[in-house]
Amino acid sequence: MNTKASSFRKNHQLHLMLIPGLLLVFIFNYAPIFGIVIAFQDFNPIIGFKQMRWNGFENFQYILSLPDFMPALRNTVVISVMKIVAGLTVPILAALLLNEARNVLFKRSVQTIIYMPHFFSWVILGGIIIDILSPSQGIVNKMLGLFGAEPIAFLSSNEWFRPIMVITDQWKEFGFGTIIYLAALTAIDPGLYEAAIVDGAGRWRQTWHVTLPGIRPIVVLMAILSLGGILNGGFDQIFNLYNPLVYETGDILDTLLYRIGIEEAQYSVATAIGLVKSIVSFILIGLGYYLAYKFANYRIF
Amino acid sequence: MHLISRPYRMFLVFNSVVLAFLALLCLFPIINVLAVSFSSSSAADAGEVVLWPVGFTLKSYDFVLQGGEFNTAFLYSLLRVALGVPIGAVITMLIAYPLSKESHAFPQRTLYVWIFVFTMLFNGGLIPTFLIIKEVQLLNTIWALVLPGAVSVFNVLLMLNFFRGLPKELEDASLIDGASHFRTLWSVYLPISLPSLATILLFTLVGHWNSWFDGMIYMNHVDKYPLATYLQSILNLTAIPQTNLTLEQAILLKSVSSRTARAAQIFVAAFPILLVYPFLQKYFVKGLVIGSVKG
């Protein structure tokens, strides 16, 4: 049929449009996936991929024998879980407060300020954090000094390192995190509030019985989706703030992988760590999307 | 008329106070370090600066902008943005347009969507990606910073969802008039998607400006570091590196301390972000909400 032929000719253009994008993802996303084979080899960059000696799971056994591996795994999970919990409470509380603000100009100004840190990189924010937390000159220790406290080396202290990571992570992201909850809050049917008022509910009861149930689906969704990042822990942030003194509590899988892979150039070992991490993350993300689809009817595309 | 009860009025006051406190808490570290960057080195080193410069001076900025590695890196970052942003935008439009078609009109759509979305779910990891970039001879070239991230599936999905919200008649009318798909994308879709495109351009710009890790692993000399990477490389040093200083800098070194100089470097690096922030703010909320909680 004539129309079919012309539609084929036009679809031909659609394929054509996709070529540059496909080329890029094949080279930079799919080719590295095949490169994962070096996790099962004793890879030497000078010899290249082909004449490699296969060594089965030796690299994986080697990882387990590394004294740094188990602490890094533990730190990653602990820091991630702390961040996820903070990320599900602080932004929601802030969104609830913002939602109650009556003065539009004031509300806008607060939003403008709290969204801003999100757009700075961890290099810039890291520089600021290192400065304000400096034991000798930093403003935080100067202020603590007014109360007679001894200076604390926050970024070199195994007691303080994790809390500082969670707090500074919230500093960067809580404002941005409110956006999605504010959108959910404005989507609540105003009729529900009117009905609650007719039933004699005060402000608190409206919040408890209308507002919170209204945003529950999105909270559940965000919680499920955050599971996929449990082995991340925040490389950019930690890499820019940690030092050997806090490896014990602050070294995460990605920072360990960086030191082994880039600094020590043990390509095969680092790839093996990355592979384990990718597989676990893939399963968690897949599971997360499945659960999100099932319970919140959420689809990414 | 609404009657505002006394407890509610008190709540509103309390609410405003808490919100104002939160906002100030966010700003405080930034303002403190900004004040340090404008302070004299002696005041800064003695820890006297709080929210206002002590012994106001521009010497630290003089020092930073006097040339040398910092400037080279700044220019390299500009080059990166100038290449990366347009390339990213064109690629995004070219992917989003075909994928926004319905499956019955473009049967291979689903397969293509999966090819792109899969890259969000699984990747080769740091080392295999590094080795591929090396294999295709991109190490130490600007393309190592531009091409690997040129396809942003997040941006594609954002654009795709926008295209899907447009009336189908637009495309039909254009194709019946004999326009090609390229022509339709360029003359019909592009003009009406400018706000979404602006969102993507700004996201990409900020992304390129802020990226530092790729510069660190793909470039093996400071000459080719983008600004974020250069800043990262000197952030953890206790003193400003004294090699490669220009003569003016060597003289200025007497009146700046490593603390004030670093503070100035941080804000010079942050300045472009601050510059685009008002525009960013105008677009990202809408873009983000469309992209994530559509329908």
Side-chain angles (χ1 to χ4, degrees):
Chain A
M1 251 167 65
N2 197 11
T3 50
K4 201 161 188 184
S6 95
S7 121
F8 175 78
R9 211 170 42 241
K10 294 225 155 140
N11 274 0
H12 176 76
Q13 296 168 351
L14 296 178
H15 293 282
L16 217 61
M17 281 184 185
L18 288 167
I19 287 176
L22 288 171
L23 263 175
L24 286 170
V25 295
F26 280 126
I27 298 171
F28 297 111
N29 298 87
Y30 284 93
I33 292 177
F34 292 104
I36 289 176
V37 293
I38 66 170
F40 305 96
Q41 294 177 332
D42 186 5
F43 182 72
N44 182 333
I46 298 159
I47 304 174
F49 286 98
K50 280 171 196 146
Q51 302 100 332
M52 282 300 60
R53 189 176 70 82
W54 293 88
N55 65 0
F57 286 87
E58 254 176 54
N59 294 320
F60 296 87
Q61 282 163 351
Y62 175 74
I63 295 169
L64 288 176
S65 73
L66 281 175
D68 286 346
F69 179 72
M70 286 318 282
L73 179 62
R74 190 194 60 220
N75 293 337
T76 309
V77 174
V78 171
I79 292 173
S80 293
V81 170
M82 285 165 82
K83 282 183 177 173
I84 290 172
V85 171
L88 283 172
T89 45
V90 182
I92 294 176
L93 286 174
L96 288 173
L97 293 177
L98 275 170
N99 194 47
E100 294 293 332
R102 288 290 158 264
N103 184 330
V104 179
L105 189 68
F106 174 72
K107 186 177 165 185
R108 284 263 171 79
S109 317
V110 172
Q111 284 174 300
T112 302
I113 294 170
I114 64 177
Y115 294 164
M116 196 166 52
H118 171 82
F119 294 98
F120 292 125
S121 67
W122 274 115
V123 174
I124 287 173
L125 294 181
I128 293 175
I129 291 163
I130 290 170
D131 186 284
I132 64 169
L133 294 182
S134 149
S136 54
Q137 305 159 337
I139 186 78
V140 173
N141 274 309
K142 287 286 167 199
M143 285 167 71
L144 289 176
L146 295 178
F147 300 100
E150 288 295 308
I152 303 168
F154 290 100
L155 294 174
S156 312
S157 148
N158 280 307
E159 260 167 75
W160 281 101
F161 191 76
R162 285 176 187 163
I164 295 291
M165 290 308 105
V166 177
I167 293 167
T168 54
D169 182 55
Q170 282 306 306
W171 174 40
K172 186 177 193 302
E173 303 295 351
F174 93 93
F176 203 71
T178 62
I179 294 175
I180 196 138
Y181 298 111
L182 283 171
L185 285 168
T186 48
I188 295 174
D189 178 8
L192 292 175
Y193 288 106
E194 284 159 23
I197 293 169
V198 172
D199 287 347
R203 286 270 157 189
W204 286 111
R205 302 199 54 163
Q206 287 173 42
T207 303
W208 189 254
H209 293 290
V210 180
T211 312
L212 290 179
I215 59 168
R216 191 168 53 203
I218 198 88
V219 176
V220 171
L221 178 66
M222 298 307 281
I224 293 171
L225 295 184
S226 60
L227 283 182
I230 209 151
L231 289 187
N232 285 338
F235 175 81
D236 282 23
Q237 177 196 24
I238 290 183
F239 187 79
N240 282 308
L241 292 170
Y242 84 154
N243 60 71
L245 291 175
V246 287
Y247 281 178
E248 188 188 325
T249 56
D251 191 23
I252 56 172
L253 289 178
D254 280 338
T255 47
L256 178 68
L257 190 155
Y258 170 82
R259 293 201 308 276
I260 293 177
I262 300 289
E263 285 178 5
E264 297 171 18
Q266 298 193 56
Y267 291 160
S268 284
V269 178
T271 305
I273 298 181
L275 177 60
V276 172
K277 200 186 147 243
S278 295
I279 290 174
V280 175
S281 298
F282 181 71
I283 293 169
L284 289 173
I285 293 172
L287 192 70
Y289 279 118
Y290 173 74
L291 290 173
Y293 177 60
K294 204 143 182 226
F295 293 111
N297 206 17
Y298 172 84
R299 300 173 65 172
I300 41 169
F301 56 87
Chain B
M1 284 305 292
H2 281 288
L3 276 176
I4 297 181
S5 67
R6 223 177 103 82
Y8 181 54
R9 202 158 45 211
M10 279 172 61
F11 167 76
L12 283 182
V13 172
F14 166 79
N15 191 31
S16 304
V17 171
V18 173
L19 285 172
F21 176 74
L22 267 181
L24 291 177
L25 204 64
C26 267
L27 273 187
F28 182 74
I30 299 172
I31 299 203
N32 173 250
V33 180
L34 188 62
V36 166
S37 72
F38 286 111
S39 296
S40 72
S41 57
S42 55
D45 288 348
E48 291 165 6
V49 185
V50 185
L51 291 173
W52 202 251
V54 177
F56 181 89
T57 168
L58 291 173
K59 287 227 168 74
S60 304
Y61 285 90
D62 259 354
F63 175 79
V64 171
L65 298 173
Q66 207 54 252
E69 289 169 348
F70 189 89
N71 279 16
T72 315
F74 198 102
L75 292 175
Y76 208 68
S77 272
L78 287 183
L79 175 65
R80 173 185 188 156
V81 166
L83 288 172
V85 172
I87 290 176
V90 169
I91 293 276
T92 302
M93 299 294 274
L94 284 179
I95 300 174
Y97 177 82
L99 299 189
S100 70
K101 303 297 164 218
E102 297 293 336
S103 299
H104 60 79
F106 185 38
Q108 297 85 350
R109 168 189 184 266
T110 316
L111 172 69
Y112 283 131
V113 169
W114 273 109
I115 290 177
F116 287 107
V117 168
F118 183 74
T119 65
M120 281 170 106
L121 305 177
F122 194 82
N123 60 68
L126 176 65
I127 301 298
T129 310
F130 170 80
L131 292 174
I132 292 293
I133 306 250
K134 192 172 157 207
E135 202 69 19
V136 293
Q137 314 284 327
L138 291 185
L139 286 188
N140 290 314
T141 69
I142 188 90
W143 302 110
L145 310 180
V146 171
L147 293 180
V151 177
S152 155
V153 180
F154 178 81
N155 286 347
V156 167
L157 292 176
L158 207 116
M159 210 65 214
L160 184 159
N161 282 326
F162 177 79
F163 285 161
R164 296 203 126 187
L166 297 174
K168 187 92 182 51
E169 289 74 17
L170 280 174
E171 185 202 350
D172 291 345
S174 168
L175 293 180
I176 287 169
D177 283 350
S180 66
H181 277 297
F182 284 98
R183 182 72 198 268
T184 307
L185 171 58
W186 179 256
S187 314
V188 179
Y189 276 59
L190 185 69
I192 46 175
S193 50
L194 289 179
S196 293
L197 187 62
T199 313
I200 285 170
L201 289 175
L202 287 166
F203 276 151
T204 319
L205 186 143
V206 172
H208 273 295
W209 191 262
N210 282 341
S211 289
W212 55 277
F213 188 66
D214 49 3
M216 188 171 87
I217 56 174
Y218 299 144
M219 301 297 173
N220 63 12
H221 195 269
V222 190
D223 279 356
K224 297 230 167 145
Y225 275 1
L227 186 60
T229 309
Y230 177 70
L231 195 64
Q232 200 282 328
S233 71
I234 57 171
L235 220 51
N236 274 310
L237 304 176
T238 41
I240 292 285
Q242 311 235 339
T243 50
N244 297 322
L245 291 184
T246 61
L247 180 64
E248 291 85 352
Q249 282 177 318
I251 295 164
L252 277 165
L253 198 59
K254 291 196 185 73
S255 47
V256 301
S257 69
S258 54
R259 188 182 184 204
T260 60
R262 187 163 305 148
Q265 282 167 332
I266 287 171
F267 284 98
V268 175
F271 184 70
I273 302 282
L274 288 170
L275 211 63
V276 299
Y277 183 61
F279 303 99
L280 258 178
Q281 216 215 345
K282 188 172 161 202
Y283 290 114
F284 72 75
V285 175
K286 216 191 295 169
L288 202 78
V289 172
I290 293 170
S292 52
V293 286
K294 52 173 167 96

